[in-house]
Amino acid sequence: MLPRLLSSALLGLIAVMPSVGWAADVGIPAVTVTTGEDGQDNYSVTLQILILMTMLTFLPAMVMMMTSFARIIIVFAILRQALGLQQTPSNQIMVGMAMFLTLFIMSPVLDKVYVEAVQPYVNEERGVLETLQVASGPFREFMMLQTRESDLDLFMRISNTPAVETADQIPFTVLVPAFVTSELKTAFQIGFMLFIPFLVIDLVVASVLMAMGMMMLSPIIISLPFKIMLFVLVDGWALVIGTLAASFGI
């Protein structure tokens, strides 16, 4: 999800490897937390690697719950169902398309995270915790723009979270489920609009078959070529992908 973030993290690890190798000769503690002159806590390289590996385990959940991936993959799944195609495109192709479209849509957010959080961390201008806090800012802004106020109020009320003055004070434990709920609603709305023209074709074909007395013939077999032809003639993939990108303000 975060190629810039991961690459920068790896670069940071490579950059500190010489110092780690030198320190190995004299011996370093596995976990060390020291307080700098500015009052911030500095963590040893071993502890930083442990934190990074722990974060990577949450990467799939972050991709699905904090980016545009959920809306895109749901719309693709509904579109495949509306066309009447059970395994085409395959799940692997749909996930790959959703991943790269997610990178395209999230590129402004990722670039902002890279400039504001990753580069200062690589340059040793910020600590780990401060870097994580700064990196969460662009994602918070993105999710707030896509989250409905009604969904946000719902989870604020359920969690008994007191009223906040600014969006930055909303905890992630409230913002993330509200964002996911809004994404599900938006995805189903887009899917409903995609389903209508294909449903009309199914109804017309079923009516014609009934009028001809061909009740034993499945309407799906006859309507499938017409739905594919309609989708190709209107350049359906470009329309769907363009609509998804536009729904995020791209």
Side-chain angles (χ1 to χ4, degrees), residues 56-71:
L56 291 178
T57 60
F58 291 96
L59 193 58
M62 292 172 61
V63 170
M64 291 185 290
M65 300 292 101
M66 296 176 59
T67 67
S68 58
F69 180 83
R71 182 189 304 186

Side-chain angles (χ1 to χ4, degrees), residues 5 8 36 69 91 102 109 126-127 146 155 175 177 202 206 241 245 250:
L5 182 59
S8 300
F69 180 83
N91 293 333
T102 298
V109 177
R126 289 198 180 104
Q146 309 301 327
F155 285 95
L175 179 58
D202 287 334
I241 293 175
I250 301 298

Side-chain angles (χ1 to χ4, degrees), residues 25-58:
D25 296 334
V26 298
I28 58 174
V31 177
T32 302
V33 181
T34 58
T35 303
E37 297 179 356
D38 55 355
Q40 295 183 356
D41 292 333
N42 298 320
Y43 299 89
S44 63
V45 176
T46 306
L47 187 57
Q48 293 181 26
I49 296 176
L50 178 61
I51 294 175
L52 178 61
M53 294 298 102
T54 304
M55 289 178 56
L56 291 178
T57 60
F58 291 96

Side-chain angles (χ1 to χ4, degrees), residues 41-248:
D41 292 333
N42 298 320
Y43 299 89
S44 63
V45 176
T46 306
L47 187 57
Q48 293 181 26
I49 296 176
L50 178 61
I51 294 175
L52 178 61
M53 294 298 102
T54 304
M55 289 178 56
L56 291 178
T57 60
F58 291 96
L59 193 58
M62 292 172 61
V63 170
M64 291 185 290
M65 300 292 101
M66 296 176 59
T67 67
S68 58
F69 180 83
R71 182 189 304 186
I72 296 170
I73 195 65
I74 290 174
V75 171
F76 283 168
I78 294 177
L79 174 62
R80 186 174 66 177
Q81 186 70 25
L83 285 170
L85 302 172
Q86 300 300 322
Q87 299 296 331
T88 305
S90 64
N91 293 333
Q92 293 84 350
I93 294 177
M94 291 178 59
V95 171
M97 291 173 57
M99 282 295 298
F100 279 98
L101 188 56
T102 298
L103 290 175
F104 171 76
I105 293 173
M106 299 294 296
S107 58
V109 177
L110 300 180
D111 291 338
K112 193 173 182 180
V113 170
Y114 180 77
V115 172
E116 297 182 358
V118 178
Q119 283 187 343
Y121 175 73
V122 174
N123 297 332
E124 299 182 356
E125 298 175 2
R126 289 198 180 104
V128 176
L129 296 181
E130 186 179 0
T131 299
L132 294 177
Q133 184 177 3
V134 174
S136 65
F139 284 96
R140 179 184 295 273
E141 294 177 4
F142 171 80
M143 289 189 289
M144 285 298 302
L145 290 175
Q146 309 301 327
T147 304
R148 293 178 173 83
E149 292 185 4
S150 58
D151 296 328
L152 195 57
D153 293 338
L154 171 65
F155 285 95
M156 292 279 286
R157 186 174 63 255
I158 293 176
S159 61
N160 295 323
T161 302
V164 296
E165 298 180 357
T166 62
D168 295 338
Q169 298 176 352
I170 299 176
F172 262 91
T173 54
V174 173
L175 179 58
V176 172
F179 169 74
V180 173
T181 304
S182 296
E183 288 294 283
L184 291 175
K185 183 176 182 179
T186 303
F188 275 86
Q189 288 176 342
I190 298 175
F192 171 77
M193 299 302 297
L194 290 174
F195 223 107
I196 291 178
F198 302 113
L199 180 61
V200 171
I201 294 178
D202 287 334
L203 291 175
V204 171
V205 171
S207 300
V208 171
L209 292 179
M210 287 289 291
M212 296 175 62
M214 304 175 65
M215 293 177 292
M216 300 300 295
L217 181 62
S218 175
I220 299 179
I221 299 177
I222 307 301
S223 63
L224 180 58
F226 291 99
K227 290 191 289 187
I228 295 178
M229 180 182 65
L230 173 64
F231 190 70
V232 172
L233 289 177
V234 300
D235 198 6
W237 285 114
L239 290 176
V240 171
I241 293 175
T243 300
L244 283 171
S247 66
F248 291 98

